[in-house]
Amino acid sequence: MFGAFKPSAPLSGGLLWKIPWRLSPPQKLRHRRRMRRVDNIVSVLDTALKRQAATSAAPAPSSSALSPPASSSSPAPSDLSRAAGGHQRLLASTTPTPTAAQNAVRNGRDTLPTTKRTTPPITAALRNEGTIKLIERWKAEMPTEQEMLPRDKYSMFDRKAKGYRKGVHKLPKWTRVSQRLNPPGF
Amino acid sequence: MSTPTRFFRITLLRSAIGLPTRSTGVLKALGLHRRLRTVYHPVTPDVAGQVFAVKELVDVQEVDRALSDKEMKELRQPDTGFYVERRAGAKQGETVEEA
């Protein structure tokens, strides 16, 4: 009667599996952490490939030049590279911050729908740097967790939903897929 | 190859149950058959692409050296909490030779 196997509607009925309308705050926190973890993995791959390409091209001197200088106030780069989201902080100083227009496009708020999201073509120069097309495309198109609006973090486009939005947790396997982009204007 | 090869240390954190067959296949190709399994692969664009395909499921670090299964097991072992002073049957004063 009581306990884990008490006859509740989902257990005894069958086709009744309720998903709450909204995400709870801890769910949101875990979701943010998962997104940051994915961002971190992409940056780990990117830096590793670039470093490997640099060292294989010019063995000794470039490797020391590539590694960022460790300042005494901030944690050591080796520590940062281990922590979740650490690589993001490492790269924050080096990578150019996206412009407001880019962010507007990503967030679906831009006024000009003619600006298309275009992937930069992978050129010979990029190939020499060691990056791969997948990563370049991800970096060009996907916003990082910090760049996203809360509305895009926690909800997604749904053509059948009222207001064209539903909670991102309604997406099947939502903890194991990257759903960050929505149609422009929605 | 004169330049030192660096490695990706890849650990499967989330299982691919219920995900498309493609991600299961990528995990199999990487040698990740169960959760918390750790494998080492050299830093190459091919491996990076494989990791990218399953980036939501794995944890990745860049390391200098690939550890063997035996070394990883030794790292997992807890300290025994004791040491052998004298073997049974050994005479007083005889010390144990360090292995």
Side-chain angles (χ1 to χ4, degrees):
Chain A
M1 184 60 89
F2 303 107
F5 300 105
K6 68 180 173 190
S8 61
L11 278 179
S12 57
L15 290 176
L16 180 59
W17 191 258
K18 289 186 174 177
I19 304 176
W21 188 85
R22 69 190 82 229
L23 284 163
S24 72
Q27 268 180 316
K28 287 183 179 180
L29 175 67
R30 291 192 297 269
H31 183 48
R32 287 195 299 275
R33 282 183 182 159
R34 280 192 296 267
M35 289 199 287
R36 278 204 292 272
R37 174 176 280 278
V38 171
D39 290 341
N40 194 34
I41 283 175
V42 173
S43 61
V44 164
L45 292 178
D46 197 28
T47 50
L49 283 178
K50 278 180 180 162
R51 187 180 300 156
Q52 185 75 11
T55 50
S56 59
S62 67
S63 61
S64 59
L66 199 80
S67 61
S71 61
S72 56
S73 61
S74 65
S78 57
D79 294 341
L80 274 182
S81 65
R82 286 201 193 89
H87 256 268
Q88 285 294 318
R89 281 202 284 154
L90 263 182
L91 289 179
S93 53
T94 58
T95 49
T97 51
T99 58
Q102 256 182 320
N103 270 337
V105 171
R106 281 168 169 169
N107 299 332
R109 297 289 193 184
D110 66 333
T111 48
L112 298 170
T114 50
T115 53
K116 287 200 308 192
R117 290 190 198 98
T118 48
T119 316
I122 185 147
T123 57
L126 273 178
R127 188 156 290 155
N128 284 341
E129 279 178 22
T131 57
I132 56 175
K133 200 171 164 186
L134 281 170
I135 293 179
E136 286 307 310
R137 183 166 178 214
W138 173 277
K139 287 200 299 186
E141 290 185 359
M142 280 291 206
T144 60
E145 192 266 337
Q146 280 91 351
E147 291 167 9
M148 286 173 76
L149 298 175
R151 133 183 220 282
D152 280 333
K153 279 184 207 175
Y154 309 123
S155 67
M156 61 179 289
F157 173 74
D158 180 16
R159 67 191 167 90
K160 300 186 294 299
K162 194 176 172 186
Y164 299 108
R165 281 273 162 176
K166 67 178 180 182
V168 74
H169 62 298
K170 305 259 184 173
L171 178 71
K173 318 277 182 270
W174 70 286
T175 61
R176 291 182 285 161
V177 294
S178 288
Q179 153 59 41
R180 298 192 184 187
L181 291 174
N182 288 296
F186 289 95
Chain B
M1 198 172 153
S2 61
T3 55
T5 313
R6 295 178 67 81
F7 289 88
F8 284 128
R9 179 179 177 275
I10 310 163
T11 308
L12 184 65
L13 295 181
R14 305 288 311 272
S15 101
I17 292 176
L19 289 183
T21 327
R22 185 161 282 261
S23 36
T24 320
V26 170
L27 290 183
K28 200 178 172 193
L30 282 170
L32 296 166
H33 293 283
R34 62 189 70 182
R35 271 189 63 218
L36 305 182
R37 166 77 178 149
T38 303
V39 292
Y40 292 85
H41 286 290
V43 174
T44 58
D46 309 7
V47 174
Q50 283 179 314
V51 173
F52 191 88
V54 290
K55 61 190 171 307
E56 289 91 2
L57 309 178
V58 296
D59 182 46
V60 183
Q61 283 175 10
E62 190 195 0
V63 292
D64 292 326
R65 199 170 69 85
L67 296 181
S68 65
D69 285 354
K70 205 176 169 189
E71 285 170 316
M72 283 199 285
K73 186 175 182 187
E74 274 171 16
L75 285 177
R76 282 201 303 271
Q77 297 302 313
D79 187 26
T80 51
F82 64 89
Y83 64 93
V84 180
E85 265 188 359
R86 191 157 55 90
R87 294 279 174 208
K91 285 178 190 169
Q92 196 82 28
E94 263 187 27
T95 54
V96 181
E97 289 90 19
E98 290 297 320

